[in-house]
Amino acid sequence: MIHIARNIFFIIKDSGRNIIGALISSFGILFLIAFLVLYLSFRDSVKDYVETNLFGKLAINEIKIFPKKSATDSFFSTASAVSGSISPETVKRVREMKDLASTYSVIRFDYDTRLRGELMGQAARMHVPVFGMERTFFKGKDPYWKTFRTAEPLPVIAPRFVFELLNNFLAATDLPTMTPETFRGFPMTLFVFTEDPKGKDIRNVTECAAHSFTDVLNLPGVIIPSDFIVEFCRKHQNDSGKYKRGYKYVMLVSSVRDVKRLPEVTRKLKSFGLAVESREDIAQKTNRVLEIIDDSSLVIIGILLILTVISIFNSYLTIVYTRAHKFSLKRVLGVSKIRIIFGFVFEAALIGVIYGALGFFIGTSLLDYFGKNVGRWIPALQHLYLARPGAGILVLALALSSAISSISALVPAVFASNINLFKAMKK
Amino acid sequence: MTEKENHGTNAILKIEGVSAGFGKREILSDVSLSVMPARIMAITGKSGSGKSTLLGILSGLLEPQSGRVLYNDDDILKWFDFKRSRFRNRHIGFIFQFFNLLPDMTAYQNILYPSALNVFSKDRRGDAEYLIRQMGLETIRNQYPSTLSGGELQRVAIARAIINKPKIVLADEPTGNLDEATANGIIDLFFEIKERYGISFVIVTHDHRIVERADVHYHLEDGRLSLISGKGSAGLRRFAQSGITTAAPKTKVAKKTAAKKTPAKKASPKKNSARKKIRK
């Protein structure tokens, strides 16, 4: 026991003597750990962000129902909802399902729609799909949900990415970015083009105002109260002299009474020729995005790892040859091979721990810096919250860096223990 | 000294039928040797004749291609490295031509180092202090090797070699890098240590003064070890005829030390008598 303790003491003492030189040699590990810390923290933040902004949020018991052809394994199924439609009969059947507590239908104008707005003296009129949604759907999801009703001006909810695009535009023109609240009441004009019996366009103008931004539905267009669309279409259903309903059902959002029965509900909805997306599906999609991030990060980590290992291996090999005389002398004096190897590996592990801690600190500092500035550089990412890495990542960084360092030093350590003693002693 | 001693039963360390070489080149061929207690054994031979290899095999640092190395009738070549290292630490001391002290340790720390590896050393600091006093190293105890003269370095190396009270000290040309006066002092020290502590010395050397005073003298040639004899024998004459002369300082340190301490031409009466003996 005393022998082991004494050996450990000597190994620590020896490592202390050589630590500066070895520290310089293993510098590369710092980048690896800093990148790893950044990546792991980024990953969690990006996961939240992707879930929220790319695919929309769903409660655990909520499902999105799409027409099948537009949603079959589509990565951006919400976006593809523009082209498909669900028949009113199917909507009725879905609404009648006892397993569903509530069903909200998303409808879309079946007319050409345009939206006109003016920002910083620049007017723009563009084709925008216009969707309708019931007011109560936004209860608990939008703080201004009560005022989302047919009125003048007509409230318009835009997807979150529109807000970010606007801010990007402002940032690109060196103008200060805005909060969602500043955009509230922003005036717009909605044009809906119906046809007269001769096939000429009838321009129907409605004054609108920005109501809020949503990341719940993530539709590729703006949302207005559905009763406005229904009422408008009722008024104009015979404009062309031939009946046209004027809107179509593109998506349903339902909440399931009992989450456990979600698989049965899904099966039943699929039997109606519909596609269903639950939170689990969104998680799967998020995972696919994360897989892309993971794969590219792993390539970078892999390259850094290889470079680090080669660099440490090379440095330690140099150390072995420069300290060959010392190692051989110690062997002569009675130091065993295993102690030479252990001493070397311990030294490398110690350096790994130091660099692990340093890399963690640098990674965290970079993360803080990015967190503060990413919104300024890329306004679309201003809601990207970069969470500080926790104790788990610190432990992982320390363990990983010491493992990489000591494994890289293992082969040189074996060389050190097998140096031709008498040859080295003669030098 | 008889041929019988070569295979002595009370030997501390024995090698039997040892052959060693590098590639096709055979350095040692069927060599047998016994190290008896409290003896000074000189081994001579040309450069590259395998003297250092023999020391390496005796200490268990090098493994021969065939043969056995016996310590208390136990073949040390069959031991794990850990046990062999422990054996080397406790029972073998080393002295080298180029001193080989650890450069980042003081003289005192260098002396203490082997005992730090030895769990059975009870009063290692006391032993180190005793040796420092015995060898007159008090004034340089806290100095680093780079500041010491050749003689001082070798005395520190000797103290380091015997701190664990080993049974054998293996010395590889211990006077090869020292001026005459210093070398004489070191040789005297070897005999004093042998008398006082009963430690055996196996000294690989070209120095006739060691050969003259050694209890046993072996010569290594063409991979074969021949027992030449004891003091003043015919074997010694053969050795003298082989052209080996008094070791001269080789390194800068030794030359500096030689210049400082003794004029090179001033040879001691003892040395003159040794020369006369060789000329005979």
Side-chain angles (χ1 to χ4, degrees), chain A residues 287-342:
Chain A
N287 286 340
R288 279 168 65 188
V289 171
L290 288 175
E291 269 173 29
I292 296 166
I293 296 170
D294 284 348
D295 290 348
S296 44
S297 300
L298 283 175
V299 168
I300 297 170
I301 289 171
I303 292 167
L304 280 174
L305 185 68
I306 291 167
L307 290 176
T308 307
V309 169
I310 291 172
S311 138
I312 295 174
F313 178 85
N314 197 36
S315 307
Y316 273 98
L317 214 55
T318 314
I319 289 173
V320 166
Y321 286 114
T322 50
R323 289 198 227 153
H325 175 256
K326 199 170 165 181
F327 288 131
S328 55
L329 184 59
K330 285 185 177 177
R331 289 276 291 122
V332 164
L333 297 176
V335 176
S336 61
K337 278 185 185 184
I338 195 79
R339 208 187 106 168
I340 297 266
I341 294 171
F342 185 71

Side-chain angles (χ1 to χ4, degrees), chain A residues 2-3 6-7 10 14 17 325-326 329-339 421-422 425-426, chain B residues 52 56 61 81-82 85 88-89 94 96 100-102 104-105 113 115-119 121 160 172:
Chain A
I2 299 165
H3 188 58
R6 202 182 274 181
N7 269 307
F10 271 90
D14 274 0
R17 279 202 187 98
H325 175 256
K326 199 170 165 181
L329 184 59
K330 285 185 177 177
R331 289 276 291 122
V332 164
L333 297 176
V335 176
S336 61
K337 278 185 185 184
I338 195 79
R339 208 187 106 168
L421 298 152
F422 277 86
M425 298 299 296
K426 289 273 180 190
Chain B
S52 300
L61 279 165
D81 178 72
F82 181 74
S85 302
R88 201 161 46 244
N89 174 254
F94 280 90
F96 298 94
N100 285 315
L101 300 181
L102 289 161
D104 49 0
M105 291 185 187
Y113 190 81
S115 65
L117 304 168
N118 182 5
V119 74
S121 66
R160 183 184 65 183
D172 193 358

Side-chain angles (χ1 to χ4, degrees), chain B residues 87-261:
Chain B
F87 155 76
R88 201 161 46 244
N89 174 254
R90 288 181 200 164
H91 304 302
I92 310 269
F94 280 90
I95 299 165
F96 298 94
Q97 180 182 0
F98 297 105
F99 323 118
N100 285 315
L101 300 181
L102 289 161
D104 49 0
M105 291 185 187
T106 62
Y108 176 70
Q109 287 168 335
N110 263 290
I111 294 169
L112 214 54
Y113 190 81
S115 65
L117 304 168
N118 182 5
V119 74
F120 291 109
S121 66
K122 282 177 184 162
D123 184 21
R124 59 197 198 94
R125 286 176 201 283
D127 291 345
E129 293 292 348
Y130 174 76
L131 285 172
I132 282 173
R133 275 197 308 276
Q134 287 297 307
M135 303 216 177
L137 299 170
E138 293 97 327
T139 52
I140 57 145
R141 56 176 290 153
N142 293 323
Q143 287 185 35
Y144 285 90
S146 56
T147 62
L148 303 180
S149 70
E152 287 165 342
L153 287 167
Q154 200 61 299
R155 277 187 289 146
V156 173
I158 293 168
R160 183 184 65 183
I162 61 169
I163 182 115
N164 278 342
K165 303 174 190 83
K167 288 180 178 164
I168 308 163
V169 169
L170 304 179
D172 193 358
E173 302 195 31
T175 54
N177 210 27
L178 302 172
D179 63 273
E180 272 185 47
T182 314
N184 283 330
I186 293 296
I187 295 165
D188 289 342
L189 196 56
F190 288 163
F191 282 88
E192 199 184 317
I193 290 166
K194 183 198 90 171
E195 294 302 329
R196 188 178 291 180
Y197 305 107
I199 294 173
S200 293
F201 282 78
V202 179
I203 308 173
V204 160
T205 187
H206 287 123
D207 192 335
H208 74 98
R209 291 164 300 189
I210 297 174
V211 177
E212 273 169 34
R213 294 173 64 184
D215 300 314
V216 198
H217 170 210
Y218 284 95
H219 187 68
L220 193 61
E221 200 168 357
D222 298 329
R224 297 201 174 270
L225 194 67
S226 340
L227 175 70
I228 303 235
S229 81
K231 294 169 192 173
S233 70
L236 190 61
R237 282 198 295 279
R238 268 172 57 196
F239 168 58
Q241 282 157 9
S242 70
I244 296 165
T245 54
T246 311
K250 286 176 186 171
T251 62
K252 280 181 186 174
V253 179
K255 281 175 186 168
K256 201 174 153 188
T257 318
K260 260 189 208 172
K261 290 194 169 177

Side-chain angles (χ1 to χ4, degrees), chain A residues 4 6 94 98 102 259 286 290 292 317 386 405 426:
Chain A
I4 293 167
R6 202 182 274 181
V94 172
K98 283 178 183 169
S102 63
V259 186
T286 310
L290 288 175
I292 296 166
L317 214 55
L386 295 174
S405 186
K426 289 273 180 190

Side-chain angles (χ1 to χ4, degrees), chain B residues 208 212 267-280:
Chain B
H208 74 98
E212 273 169 34
S268 66
K270 210 173 184 180
K271 190 194 141 200
N272 287 335
S273 66
R275 272 191 182 155
K276 276 174 197 167
K277 272 184 186 175
I278 293 166
R279 279 175 199 145
K280 275 182 188 175

Side-chain angles (χ1 to χ4, degrees), chain A residues 101-149:
Chain A
S102 63
T103 300
Y104 294 96
S105 49
V106 178
I107 56 173
R108 189 176 77 89
F109 260 130
D110 203 10
Y111 296 113
D112 181 21
T113 48
R114 292 177 197 192
L115 205 63
R116 185 185 181 279
E118 202 178 301
L119 187 68
M120 302 291 170
Q122 287 189 348
R125 196 171 78 160
M126 58 193 108
H127 287 276
V128 175
V130 177
F131 297 89
M133 190 54 166
E134 290 144 75
R135 181 173 62 102
T136 48
F137 171 78
F138 293 102
K139 187 179 177 182
K141 291 168 180 151
D142 184 335
Y144 310 108
W145 70 277
K146 281 184 181 170
T147 55
F148 186 66
R149 58 175 78 239

